Amino acid sequence: MLKKSNEEIVLKGIPAASGITMGQAFLLDQQDFIVSERAILPEEVAIEIARFEEAVDHTRVEIQNIKDKIASQVGMKDAQIFDAHLLVLEDCMLIDEVKKRIKSEQVSAEFVFSQVLQRYVSIFEKIQDEYIKERAADVSDVGRRVLKHLIGESRLHDFEALLGDIVIVAHDISPSDAVTMYNKRVQGFVTDVGGRTAHTAIIAKSLGVPAVLGLKDATFRISNQDFIIVDGRKGIVIINPSEETKHLYSKERERLAQFQETSLHMKDAPAETQDGRRITLQANFEIHDEMAGVKKYGAEGIGLYRTEFFYMNRLDLPSEEEQYQAYRKIAEAAAPNSVIIRTLDLGGDKFLSSIQLPREMMPFLGSRAIRLCLEEQEIFRTQLRAILRASAHGNIGMMYPMIAGPGELRAANAGLKDVKQGLREKGQSFNEKIPVGVMIEVPAAAMTADILAKEADFFSIGTNDMIQYTLAVDRTNEKMAQFYEPAHPAVLRLIRRTINAAHDANIKVSVCGEMASDPTLAIILMGLGIDSFSMSPASIPQIKRSIRALKFSDSEELAKQALRLSTGLEVEEFMVSAIKKLVPDFYSYDGQTR
Ligand code: PEP
Ligand code: MG
């Protein structure tokens, strides 16, 4: 259906990051290269041209490396795809035009290049020949690489130049783009694709930016500069809202702000049930300026530090020293509370500019997380050294993501042992007894939790992945959202099994996936015996309220009954109605619909 102008239209998607926001839509086309114009001095012309030539050379080497890697790992036939990319860089007309225009217009190389590139892409796209049309994608892909070398991926979109508050509307936003694009003007994210626990959703949460993902055709229904309201709690986007709707949402936004304000009063109160069961509430941490939020919302340390975001949006890998300084700083800021540093979890939906990995058919089932680290020992060991050195300065623990069984845990620990020995030989101090935990997010890990528990200091259950891998549902695929059921009996049974195995071995177990920040589901997890939760800092007050509203004995009874039910839906319905009976106003304070 085509949108009529000024008609109020409500779109329904997946609620990904809570909050209400309003602003002008800014449609981000994947082919867009938004680079601000920058004038240069006449004496800088030669430098700009040299910079451009260097960027082209780097891109050539980069593409050649990918081609070689694919040729050796997959075969020459697939590698030849990159010949078309290399040819773009040999296009004298394109290269010469850029150089000439830098000289004649005296503007930066990136600005001229982005202009020339857009023109080329649009010419190719208009040609009615499928083969030539495909060349537009090649040019745009190669162009993006050159731009990345010229200005760094983090500045590919320059939103500073825009006026007023905007909501980014895109077909897809990668987690690293979400971090990059965030500035005070970006008030919300709206996408066609994506799921509730996609890393873009997680990043939006930690940035405090409301997001609705998986709207399927938002980029078709919303036009640039449409005024839109984004309700991240309900997963609703309203295009061209009437004055009345705007007024209602403004009021609701105020109410939410007030709720958040009053929640903060409980910042220092313990997360303790009415019958004295104490749960530790920690923060998930992705972006370095989040420390203020960790303190503000009363988190008791950091239960999951997703270090991969430290590696993103840059052209090189962070050095050992750089990582050491960063980890140390965070540990010192969080002290005396602990910081659990998760080793690099790349792959799946998170990629780096600095490491070129071959494309995989199913990246979530491919070389991801610990598997990648075990392949790339240099990267892994550099990080381990940095974590260990930082452990001398604070209460640091570490954990491995996506462990599928004892074999991988042992392989990872063997690397750790070597790194420790190397540090000892150099006389560098570290905590010899640094706690080393295992993330339980693969069903195989849950099934072998009893074995893993004997070799780990703690468990942290990553429910985002555990749900995806147990139910065979891609967590980033909006079309599968209805099958992504956190309360599915299979998921609950694996969690119960993991908790019991941990406690039998006298180790603690936490949940650091999004399930921990859902008040209803958190009560089941508590009833199953979980020791701590880790979540985005802003979710902490609400979960603390939920824990304090109930008795632990009641949650145990509810969990027991929930685990007897047959479907995720039955579990959710049962929990909501049982909790409402016990605490009638349980769902009234967060403004959610239940
Ligand atoms: C998880 O899978 O639940 C988890 C916490 O890790 P991530 O979301 O980063 O994959
Ligand atoms: Mg995970």
Side-chain angles (χ1 to χ4, degrees):
M1 188 192 77
L2 276 175
K3 177 166 71 74
K4 284 191 220 118
S5 62
N6 297 330
E7 186 192 345
E8 176 174 305
I9 295 174
V10 180
L11 307 179
K12 182 89 185 82
I14 295 168
S18 193
I20 293 172
T21 194
M22 307 179 190
Q24 281 202 338
F26 183 92
L27 251 81
L28 197 68
D29 189 318
Q30 281 175 333
Q31 308 296 329
D32 273 351
F33 303 100
I34 305 157
V35 179
S36 303
E37 184 167 354
R38 178 170 63 85
I40 56 169
L41 298 169
E43 56 269 30
E44 287 173 332
V45 166
I47 303 172
E48 274 317 280
I49 292 180
R51 250 178 17 92
F52 172 61
E53 285 173 341
E54 206 181 323
V56 171
D57 287 346
H58 275 135
T59 307
R60 191 178 293 113
V61 173
E62 188 177 275
I63 297 173
Q64 189 61 50
N65 284 344
I66 303 173
K67 189 183 155 191
D68 293 346
K69 207 164 178 179
I70 297 212
S72 67
Q73 291 177 358
V74 188
M76 201 54 199
K77 198 161 169 283
D78 291 286
Q80 275 163 354
I81 298 166
F82 290 94
D83 284 341
H85 287 208
L86 287 168
L87 274 179
V88 175
L89 295 172
E90 306 307 327
D91 184 331
C92 299
M93 264 169 51
L94 186 144
I95 306 286
D96 287 350
E97 182 179 344
V98 175
K99 288 189 202 168
K100 273 191 200 133
R101 283 182 55 181
I102 294 177
K103 209 167 164 186
S104 61
E105 294 170 26
Q106 294 189 3
V107 280
S108 68
E110 57 267 22
F111 181 69
V112 174
F113 182 67
S114 67
Q115 300 275 304
V116 175
L117 197 64
Q118 284 186 51
R119 196 165 54 76
Y120 264 66
V121 171
S122 66
I123 292 172
F124 279 143
E125 277 177 344
K126 280 186 198 121
I127 296 173
Q128 295 299 326
D129 176 307
E130 280 314 307
Y131 176 79
I132 294 181
K133 264 197 180 148
E134 272 177 32
R135 299 288 71 77
D138 292 338
V139 173
S140 131
D141 204 76
V142 175
R144 195 165 269 282
R145 285 180 192 279
V146 175
L147 275 175
K148 190 185 71 185
H149 285 297
L150 277 170
I151 54 174
E153 200 149 37
S154 60
R155 292 185 45 219
L156 274 190
H157 312 284
D158 185 357
F159 296 109
E160 293 295 342
L162 297 167
L163 296 173
D165 290 345
I166 55 165
V167 175
I168 302 288
V169 180
H171 178 68
D172 192 10
I173 300 175
S174 73
S176 63
D177 275 350
V179 178
T180 307
M181 283 190 280
Y182 175 65
N183 72 21
K184 290 190 179 54
R185 295 221 173 84
V186 175
Q187 298 288 314
F189 295 123
V190 167
T191 62
D192 292 338
V193 301
R196 193 188 285 260
T197 65
H199 281 98
T200 304
I202 289 169
I203 287 297
K205 263 191 173 182
S206 60
L207 295 171
V209 175
V212 177
L213 308 186
L215 284 146
K216 298 191 176 84
D217 58 357
T219 49
F220 174 68
R221 309 285 295 271
I222 302 171
S223 308
N224 235 340
Q225 297 184 345
D226 271 352
F227 188 85
I228 57 176
I229 296 177
V230 180
D231 183 346
R233 301 160 315 158
K234 298 182 183 158
I236 284 173
V237 174
I238 305 173
I239 313 169
N240 295 328
S242 65
E243 285 309 313
E244 195 191 340
T245 309
K246 273 193 210 166
H247 179 71
L248 279 176
Y249 269 89
S250 302
K251 284 258 163 257
E252 187 58 9
R253 186 158 63 171
E254 266 168 40
R255 206 185 69 73
L256 266 184
Q258 262 165 20
F259 163 70
Q260 270 148 9
E261 194 57 41
T262 52
S263 297
L264 289 181
H265 297 156
M266 294 207 321
K267 175 172 138 344
D268 299 316
E272 191 173 295
T273 59
Q274 304 219 327
D275 51 355
R277 166 86 169 180
R278 179 78 165 82
I279 306 284
T280 305
L281 291 187
Q282 296 190 298
N284 288 354
F285 188 87
E286 287 85 26
I287 304 152
H288 281 187
D289 46 17
E290 272 177 304
M291 207 59 211
V294 173
K295 300 260 173 195
K296 177 173 158 196
Y297 294 106
E300 302 165 274
I302 293 168
L304 164 66
Y305 172 13
R306 290 182 164 103
T307 54
E308 50 280 2
F309 289 96
F310 186 35
Y311 289 62
M312 286 180 178
N313 295 323
R314 52 187 292 160
L315 300 177
D316 55 350
L317 290 166
S319 67
E320 175 189 324
E321 185 62 23
E322 201 182 334
Q323 291 186 62
Y324 157 67
Q325 295 293 352
Y327 302 156
R328 175 178 176 172
K329 201 166 150 203
I330 293 163
E332 284 173 346
N337 290 319
S338 63
V339 175
I340 308 295
I341 302 181
R342 174 173 81 180
T343 58
L344 210 49
D345 180 1
L346 285 176
D349 60 350
K350 289 174 289 192
F351 299 97
L352 299 188
S353 330
S354 47
I355 319 175
Q356 297 297 335
L357 300 169
R359 266 182 202 279
E360 294 174 304
M361 282 284 280
M362 286 187 265
F364 275 113
L365 301 183
S367 179
R368 180 187 167 195
I370 196 66
R371 295 176 186 168
L372 181 68
C373 282
L374 292 175
E375 278 163 29
E376 303 283 346
Q377 284 285 333
E378 193 43 47
I379 296 174
F380 185 43
R381 288 177 184 224
T382 303
Q383 182 175 40
L384 292 179
R385 266 192 298 276
I387 296 173
L388 284 170
R389 285 175 57 203
S391 72
H393 305 281
N395 185 355
I396 288 184
M398 53 174 277
M399 62 184 179
Y400 306 121
M402 218 187 135
I403 290 283
E408 272 169 350
L409 175 58
R410 286 176 197 164
N413 275 338
L416 184 66
K417 193 170 161 215
D418 281 355
V419 169
K420 279 186 173 177
Q421 185 54 26
L423 290 179
R424 273 184 217 112
E425 282 162 14
K426 281 200 203 152
Q428 278 177 314
S429 49
F430 62 93
N431 175 9
E432 289 276 358
K433 297 210 168 89
I434 182 170
V436 181
V438 170
M439 284 196 75
I440 306 291
E441 37 189 3
V442 179
M447 294 305 289
T448 51
D450 53 328
I451 312 173
L452 289 167
K454 294 195 190 104
E455 302 179 29
D457 295 318
F458 62 91
F459 282 164
S460 187
I461 306 178
T463 50
N464 303 337
D465 278 313
M466 187 185 270
I467 298 162
Q468 136 165 291
Y469 293 131
T470 305
L471 305 179
V473 174
D474 177 350
R475 65 193 263 194
T476 66
N477 184 344
E478 70 289 349
K479 295 190 195 88
M480 295 298 114
Q482 56 169 319
F483 303 115
Y484 191 89
E485 286 184 89
H488 191 292
V491 175
L492 297 183
R493 278 165 170 70
L494 288 175
I495 293 175
R496 178 175 62 182
R497 190 183 183 98
T498 305
I499 297 172
N500 291 345
H503 289 167
D504 286 349
N506 269 327
I507 63 169
K508 299 258 190 220
V509 54
S510 147
V511 167
C512 62
E514 296 304 298
M515 212 168 153
S517 58
D518 180 311
T520 312
L521 303 175
I523 299 302
I524 307 184
L525 298 171
M526 182 167 85
L528 290 174
I530 212 78
D531 299 296
S532 60
F533 290 128
S534 190
M535 63 194 77
S536 63
S539 305
I540 289 177
Q542 189 188 353
I543 293 300
K544 192 185 276 185
R545 266 185 132 133
S546 309
I547 292 170
R548 288 172 64 88
L550 278 153
K551 283 193 187 144
F552 176 58
S553 55
D554 285 334
S555 71
E556 278 187 307
E557 187 50 37
L558 293 181
K560 211 195 260 167
Q561 292 188 39
L563 263 105
R564 289 197 196 111
L565 300 171
S566 318
T567 68
L569 191 64
E570 278 175 28
V571 171
E572 293 237 12
E573 283 173 358
F574 161 75
M575 286 301 291
V576 171
S577 87
I579 292 174
K580 274 182 181 164
K581 271 187 211 133
L582 286 168
V583 186
D585 68 345
F586 188 89
Y587 293 106
S588 64
Y589 27 73
D590 66 333
Q592 294 204 347
T593 42
R594 283 279 184 190

